[in-house]
Amino acid sequence: MQEATFLILTALAESSQHGYGIINDVTEISEGRVRLRAGTLYAALDRLRVDGLIELDREEIVDNRLRRYYRLAPAGNARLAAEAARLQAHAATALNRLRLAGGTA
Amino acid sequence: MNAQTRLEHGYRRLIGWYPQSFRDESGPEILAVLMDGARPGQRRPSPAETVDLITGGLLMRLRRRRPRPPRAVTGALGLMYLAAVLSATASAAIALTLTSSRTTYLHEYPGVAGAHWSSVATYLVLRIVGAAVAGPLWLVLAWAIAHGRAGARRALVGYSALLTIVLITSAATGEAGYAPVALLSVGVLWLISLGTVVLLFRPEAEPHFTAPVG
C-alpha cells in the first residue's frame, strides 16, 4: 500500500471527513512531510471507492460549495488494520535488530 | 474580474482535463477543495497545482473505473487468450497436415472415389478458415467480456454449441484416422469453450455483467 493511501485511510479511521479535511489531517499525521494536492487526493479517493475501501458518508453545501464526507468501509477498516499491523511488525524488527547491533535505537 | 473569480476560472479550466463522467460527479467538489486550499489573494493556479490537476485528469482518463473483475471472469479471460493462440495454431496445423491427411484417407478408404475426398477436403479447408477467424474472434469476445458485455457471454454459448456440432461431426466421420490433428484441436477448443462458459455463468461472475459499463 502506498504511503498516501495509508495516510488517507488513517485520516478516515476515526470519523468521516471531507476532501479538504483529509488533506489537512494527512499533513498533520505525517508531521508536515506529506502534503496532498487535490488531483492526487481525488485520484486516490476514486480508486479507494471503486475498490470498496471507502464510501460516501454524506454531502453538505457550505458557502455555496459542495462538501462530500467519506468514511471507511468495512473492507477499508480491515485493510488498514492489516497494513498497520504489518508496518508495526517491520518497525519492531528493525528497532530490535538495531538494539542487538548496539545502535542508538 | 476579482482575484477569487479569476482563480476559480483557472481551476475550472484545469478540471477540464478530467473525463466528463468524473467532472459531473466530482468537479464541484474538487473545485471547493482547491478554493479552500488557496492562499489569500491567489489569482491563478500555481505551477504545482497545474501539473497535479493535469496529471490527475490524464490518469483518470487512462484508468478503468470499474472494480476488478471477479476471479471467475479473470480465469475465463485467461482461457480465452489461450483459445485464441490455440485456434491460430490449429488453423496452421490442419493446413500443414492436409496432404498427409489426403494420403492416409485414400489409403484407408481405397475403394472410395476421389470425389468423396474432395468433400472431406472441403470440410477440412472450412475448418482451417474457421480456426483462423476464431483466433481474433476469441480476442474480441475476451475484450467485450472484460468490459462486462453480457451479449458476448451469450455469443460464447453459441460458439460452444457450434464447436460441439463440429466435434461430433468430425468424430463421426472417422477423422481420428486420417486427420487426428484436426480432431484433437477441435476437441481441446471445445473443452476450453466449455470451461469458459462454466466460469462466466458462475454466480460470482454475475455482478461483472450486471454493473453499469463505465
Side-chain angles (χ1 to χ4, degrees):
Chain A
M1 188 186 284
Q2 286 184 0
E3 190 180 17
T5 312
F6 180 81
L7 291 171
I8 291 169
L9 292 179
T10 304
L12 297 175
E14 199 182 324
S15 61
S16 67
Q17 297 217 52
H18 58 80
Y20 190 57
I22 298 173
I23 291 180
N24 286 333
D25 203 9
V26 164
T27 308
E28 200 180 311
I29 298 166
S30 67
E31 296 173 334
R33 209 168 36 79
V34 178
R35 290 176 191 274
L36 288 178
R37 295 199 175 276
T40 316
L41 172 71
Y42 279 90
L45 289 180
D46 182 65
R47 183 80 269 167
L48 292 169
R49 271 180 83 177
V50 169
D51 287 346
L53 300 186
I54 64 167
E55 53 199 16
L56 191 63
D57 187 53
R58 63 185 193 281
E59 290 183 355
E60 280 178 4
I61 304 284
V62 179
D63 296 336
N64 280 329
R65 285 182 194 155
L66 173 67
R67 277 188 174 171
R68 282 204 180 107
Y69 286 76
Y70 298 92
R71 61 166 178 246
L72 273 195
N77 212 311
R79 268 297 289 281
L80 180 62
E83 186 66 12
R86 195 182 68 84
L87 290 173
Q88 193 173 36
H90 284 181
T93 308
L95 291 171
N96 197 28
R97 290 193 180 183
L98 283 169
R99 234 190 330 267
L100 288 173
T104 52
Chain B
M1 201 189 283
N2 66 29
Q4 195 176 11
T5 317
R6 196 175 163 149
L7 179 63
E8 191 169 322
H9 188 73
Y11 283 144
R12 275 184 200 282
R13 231 183 21 228
L14 288 170
I15 290 171
W17 284 82
Y18 283 80
Q20 181 74 49
S21 61
F22 188 82
R23 286 204 303 267
D24 292 345
E25 198 183 303
S26 304
E29 189 188 348
I30 298 186
L31 182 65
V33 168
L34 288 163
M35 294 303 290
D36 280 342
R39 293 186 313 276
Q42 186 177 344
R43 295 171 69 87
R44 60 175 70 89
S46 71
E49 284 171 333
T50 305
V51 171
D52 174 62
L53 289 169
I54 293 177
T55 316
L58 291 177
L59 268 179
M60 208 62 80
R61 282 176 189 274
L62 291 174
R63 177 188 285 183
R64 45 186 291 134
R65 297 192 66 213
R66 291 168 61 79
R68 290 186 183 93
R71 196 165 286 184
V73 175
T74 50
L77 289 173
L79 283 179
M80 293 179 81
Y81 296 135
L82 177 69
V85 175
L86 284 179
S87 285
T89 313
S91 176
I94 301 171
L96 289 172
T97 52
L98 201 56
T99 318
S100 79
S101 290
R102 180 179 184 274
T103 314
T104 316
Y105 187 85
L106 295 177
H107 179 74
E108 260 188 43
Y109 307 101
V112 300
H116 200 256
W117 161 251
S118 74
S119 69
V120 172
T122 307
Y123 181 53
L124 286 175
V125 169
L126 275 177
R127 299 266 293 287
I128 294 168
V129 176
V133 173
L137 183 73
W138 275 109
L139 294 180
V140 171
L141 285 176
W143 178 88
I145 280 169
H147 286 78
R149 306 285 159 88
R153 195 168 56 153
R154 286 193 294 274
L156 200 68
V157 174
Y159 186 60
S160 280
L162 177 70
L163 279 176
T164 311
I165 295 167
V166 174
L167 180 65
I168 292 170
T169 314
S170 304
T173 52
E175 214 170 74
Y178 60 88
V181 172
L183 184 65
L184 182 71
S185 56
V186 72
V188 171
L189 283 165
W190 176 74
L191 279 176
I192 292 178
S193 74
L194 219 59
T196 311
V197 168
V198 168
L199 282 174
L200 291 178
F201 279 90
R202 284 178 69 142
E204 59 162 305
E206 216 47 51
H208 179 73
F209 294 99
T210 46
V213 174

mmCIF file of all heavy atoms in Angstrom, chain B residues 129-150:
data_model
loop_
_atom_site.group_PDB
_atom_site.id
_atom_site.type_symbol
_atom_site.label_atom_id
_atom_site.label_comp_id
_atom_site.label_asym_id
_atom_site.label_seq_id
_atom_site.Cartn_x
_atom_site.Cartn_y
_atom_site.Cartn_z
ATOM 1 N N VAL B 129 -10.111 -22.253 -42.285
ATOM 2 C CA VAL B 129 -10.589 -20.858 -42.326
ATOM 3 C C VAL B 129 -11.284 -20.509 -41.005
ATOM 4 O O VAL B 129 -11.045 -19.459 -40.406
ATOM 5 C CB VAL B 129 -11.550 -20.644 -43.529
ATOM 6 C CG1 VAL B 129 -12.106 -19.238 -43.521
ATOM 7 C CG2 VAL B 129 -10.831 -20.939 -44.831
ATOM 8 N N GLY B 130 -12.148 -21.443 -40.552
ATOM 9 C CA GLY B 130 -12.896 -21.218 -39.307
ATOM 10 C C GLY B 130 -11.964 -20.959 -38.136
ATOM 11 O O GLY B 130 -12.159 -20.005 -37.371
ATOM 12 N N ALA B 131 -10.912 -21.806 -38.003
ATOM 13 C CA ALA B 131 -9.986 -21.656 -36.880
ATOM 14 C C ALA B 131 -9.199 -20.352 -37.011
ATOM 15 O O ALA B 131 -8.919 -19.684 -36.008
ATOM 16 C CB ALA B 131 -9.042 -22.851 -36.813
ATOM 17 N N ALA B 132 -8.870 -19.971 -38.266
ATOM 18 C CA ALA B 132 -8.123 -18.718 -38.479
ATOM 19 C C ALA B 132 -8.977 -17.523 -38.065
ATOM 20 O O ALA B 132 -8.481 -16.564 -37.469
ATOM 21 C CB ALA B 132 -7.709 -18.586 -39.938
ATOM 22 N N VAL B 133 -10.283 -17.575 -38.375
ATOM 23 C CA VAL B 133 -11.190 -16.483 -37.992
ATOM 24 C C VAL B 133 -11.431 -16.506 -36.483
ATOM 25 O O VAL B 133 -11.549 -15.465 -35.836
ATOM 26 C CB VAL B 133 -12.545 -16.606 -38.755
ATOM 27 C CG1 VAL B 133 -13.555 -15.595 -38.255
ATOM 28 C CG2 VAL B 133 -12.320 -16.440 -40.257
ATOM 29 N N ALA B 134 -11.477 -17.734 -35.911
ATOM 30 C CA ALA B 134 -11.796 -17.875 -34.491
ATOM 31 C C ALA B 134 -10.742 -17.221 -33.584
ATOM 32 O O ALA B 134 -11.089 -16.717 -32.520
ATOM 33 C CB ALA B 134 -11.944 -19.348 -34.138
ATOM 34 N N GLY B 135 -9.454 -17.215 -34.044
ATOM 35 C CA GLY B 135 -8.392 -16.610 -33.222
ATOM 36 C C GLY B 135 -8.743 -15.181 -32.825
ATOM 37 O O GLY B 135 -8.933 -14.882 -31.642
ATOM 38 N N PRO B 136 -8.872 -14.264 -33.830
ATOM 39 C CA PRO B 136 -9.242 -12.874 -33.495
ATOM 40 C C PRO B 136 -10.614 -12.781 -32.813
ATOM 41 O O PRO B 136 -10.812 -11.929 -31.949
ATOM 42 C CB PRO B 136 -9.287 -12.177 -34.859
ATOM 43 C CG PRO B 136 -8.527 -13.046 -35.781
ATOM 44 C CD PRO B 136 -8.574 -14.436 -35.245
ATOM 45 N N LEU B 137 -11.538 -13.693 -33.181
ATOM 46 C CA LEU B 137 -12.880 -13.665 -32.581
ATOM 47 C C LEU B 137 -12.807 -13.889 -31.069
ATOM 48 O O LEU B 137 -13.479 -13.206 -30.283
ATOM 49 C CB LEU B 137 -13.747 -14.744 -33.233
ATOM 50 C CG LEU B 137 -15.202 -14.786 -32.760
ATOM 51 C CD1 LEU B 137 -15.960 -13.602 -33.340
ATOM 52 C CD2 LEU B 137 -15.882 -16.083 -33.200
ATOM 53 N N TRP B 138 -11.964 -14.829 -30.647
ATOM 54 C CA TRP B 138 -11.766 -15.070 -29.209
ATOM 55 C C TRP B 138 -11.287 -13.789 -28.526
ATOM 56 O O TRP B 138 -11.726 -13.457 -27.433
ATOM 57 C CB TRP B 138 -10.717 -16.175 -28.988
ATOM 58 C CG TRP B 138 -11.239 -17.575 -29.044
ATOM 59 C CD1 TRP B 138 -11.011 -18.473 -30.034
ATOM 60 C CD2 TRP B 138 -12.054 -18.253 -28.076
ATOM 61 N NE1 TRP B 138 -11.639 -19.664 -29.756
ATOM 62 C CE2 TRP B 138 -12.281 -19.555 -28.559
ATOM 63 C CE3 TRP B 138 -12.610 -17.877 -26.855
ATOM 64 C CZ2 TRP B 138 -13.038 -20.492 -27.860
ATOM 65 C CZ3 TRP B 138 -13.369 -18.809 -26.162
ATOM 66 C CH2 TRP B 138 -13.582 -20.095 -26.660
ATOM 67 N N LEU B 139 -10.370 -13.068 -29.202
ATOM 68 C CA LEU B 139 -9.820 -11.839 -28.598
ATOM 69 C C LEU B 139 -10.891 -10.765 -28.481
ATOM 70 O O LEU B 139 -10.974 -10.065 -27.472
ATOM 71 C CB LEU B 139 -8.629 -11.322 -29.423
ATOM 72 C CG LEU B 139 -7.390 -12.221 -29.425
ATOM 73 C CD1 LEU B 139 -6.287 -11.600 -30.261
ATOM 74 C CD2 LEU B 139 -6.889 -12.463 -28.002
ATOM 75 N N VAL B 140 -11.721 -10.642 -29.532
ATOM 76 C CA VAL B 140 -12.802 -9.641 -29.498
ATOM 77 C C VAL B 140 -13.781 -9.975 -28.369
ATOM 78 O O VAL B 140 -14.182 -9.101 -27.583
ATOM 79 C CB VAL B 140 -13.546 -9.591 -30.861
ATOM 80 C CG1 VAL B 140 -14.798 -8.739 -30.773
ATOM 81 C CG2 VAL B 140 -12.621 -9.050 -31.946
ATOM 82 N N LEU B 141 -14.127 -11.266 -28.267
ATOM 83 C CA LEU B 141 -15.055 -11.683 -27.208
ATOM 84 C C LEU B 141 -14.435 -11.446 -25.828
ATOM 85 O O LEU B 141 -15.118 -11.012 -24.901
ATOM 86 C CB LEU B 141 -15.423 -13.163 -27.367
ATOM 87 C CG LEU B 141 -16.400 -13.495 -28.506
ATOM 88 C CD1 LEU B 141 -16.608 -14.998 -28.614
ATOM 89 C CD2 LEU B 141 -17.744 -12.801 -28.305
ATOM 90 N N ALA B 142 -13.134 -11.720 -25.712
ATOM 91 C CA ALA B 142 -12.452 -11.502 -24.421
ATOM 92 C C ALA B 142 -12.513 -10.024 -24.047
ATOM 93 O O ALA B 142 -12.783 -9.671 -22.890
ATOM 94 C CB ALA B 142 -11.001 -11.977 -24.505
ATOM 95 N N TRP B 143 -12.287 -9.150 -25.033
ATOM 96 C CA TRP B 143 -12.342 -7.697 -24.769
ATOM 97 C C TRP B 143 -13.747 -7.316 -24.282
ATOM 98 O O TRP B 143 -13.898 -6.602 -23.290
ATOM 99 C CB TRP B 143 -11.990 -6.928 -26.051
ATOM 100 C CG TRP B 143 -12.064 -5.433 -25.863
ATOM 101 C CD1 TRP B 143 -11.060 -4.607 -25.428
ATOM 102 C CD2 TRP B 143 -13.212 -4.596 -26.079
ATOM 103 N NE1 TRP B 143 -11.511 -3.324 -25.355
ATOM 104 C CE2 TRP B 143 -12.829 -3.277 -25.739
ATOM 105 C CE3 TRP B 143 -14.512 -4.829 -26.503
ATOM 106 C CZ2 TRP B 143 -13.696 -2.201 -25.831
ATOM 107 C CZ3 TRP B 143 -15.392 -3.757 -26.591
ATOM 108 C CH2 TRP B 143 -14.977 -2.454 -26.257
ATOM 109 N N ALA B 144 -14.767 -7.838 -25.000
ATOM 110 C CA ALA B 144 -16.155 -7.494 -24.651
ATOM 111 C C ALA B 144 -16.513 -8.022 -23.262
ATOM 112 O O ALA B 144 -17.174 -7.340 -22.478
ATOM 113 C CB ALA B 144 -17.102 -8.052 -25.702
ATOM 114 N N ILE B 145 -16.024 -9.222 -22.950
ATOM 115 C CA ILE B 145 -16.340 -9.808 -21.641
ATOM 116 C C ILE B 145 -15.605 -9.050 -20.530
ATOM 117 O O ILE B 145 -16.170 -8.776 -19.485
ATOM 118 C CB ILE B 145 -16.022 -11.320 -21.643
ATOM 119 C CG1 ILE B 145 -17.198 -12.022 -22.337
ATOM 120 C CG2 ILE B 145 -15.819 -11.866 -20.238
ATOM 121 C CD1 ILE B 145 -16.996 -13.443 -22.665
ATOM 122 N N ALA B 146 -14.362 -8.646 -20.810
ATOM 123 C CA ALA B 146 -13.627 -7.846 -19.824
ATOM 124 C C ALA B 146 -14.380 -6.545 -19.531
ATOM 125 O O ALA B 146 -14.294 -5.997 -18.443
ATOM 126 C CB ALA B 146 -12.222 -7.544 -20.333
ATOM 127 N N HIS B 147 -15.129 -6.038 -20.523
ATOM 128 C CA HIS B 147 -15.894 -4.805 -20.339
ATOM 129 C C HIS B 147 -17.331 -5.061 -19.886
ATOM 130 O O HIS B 147 -18.173 -4.167 -19.958
ATOM 131 C CB HIS B 147 -15.881 -3.982 -21.632
ATOM 132 C CG HIS B 147 -14.548 -3.324 -21.861
ATOM 133 N ND1 HIS B 147 -13.462 -4.022 -22.337
ATOM 134 C CD2 HIS B 147 -14.121 -2.067 -21.628
ATOM 135 C CE1 HIS B 147 -12.427 -3.210 -22.401
ATOM 136 N NE2 HIS B 147 -12.796 -2.019 -21.979
ATOM 137 N N GLY B 148 -17.605 -6.299 -19.466
ATOM 138 C CA GLY B 148 -18.903 -6.602 -18.860
ATOM 139 C C GLY B 148 -20.063 -6.721 -19.835
ATOM 140 O O GLY B 148 -21.214 -6.565 -19.429
ATOM 141 N N ARG B 149 -19.773 -6.992 -21.109
ATOM 142 C CA ARG B 149 -20.867 -7.117 -22.083
ATOM 143 C C ARG B 149 -21.503 -8.511 -21.976
ATOM 144 O O ARG B 149 -20.846 -9.523 -22.284
ATOM 145 C CB ARG B 149 -20.364 -6.903 -23.516
ATOM 146 C CG ARG B 149 -19.616 -5.615 -23.728
ATOM 147 C CD ARG B 149 -20.590 -4.443 -23.761
ATOM 148 N NE ARG B 149 -19.909 -3.174 -23.473
ATOM 149 C CZ ARG B 149 -19.325 -2.414 -24.387
ATOM 150 N NH1 ARG B 149 -19.349 -2.766 -25.638
ATOM 151 N NH2 ARG B 149 -18.737 -1.293 -24.029
ATOM 152 N N ALA B 150 -22.756 -8.543 -21.558
ATOM 153 C CA ALA B 150 -23.450 -9.829 -21.393
ATOM 154 C C ALA B 150 -23.704 -10.489 -22.742
ATOM 155 O O ALA B 150 -23.774 -11.718 -22.841
ATOM 156 C CB ALA B 150 -24.752 -9.628 -20.647
#
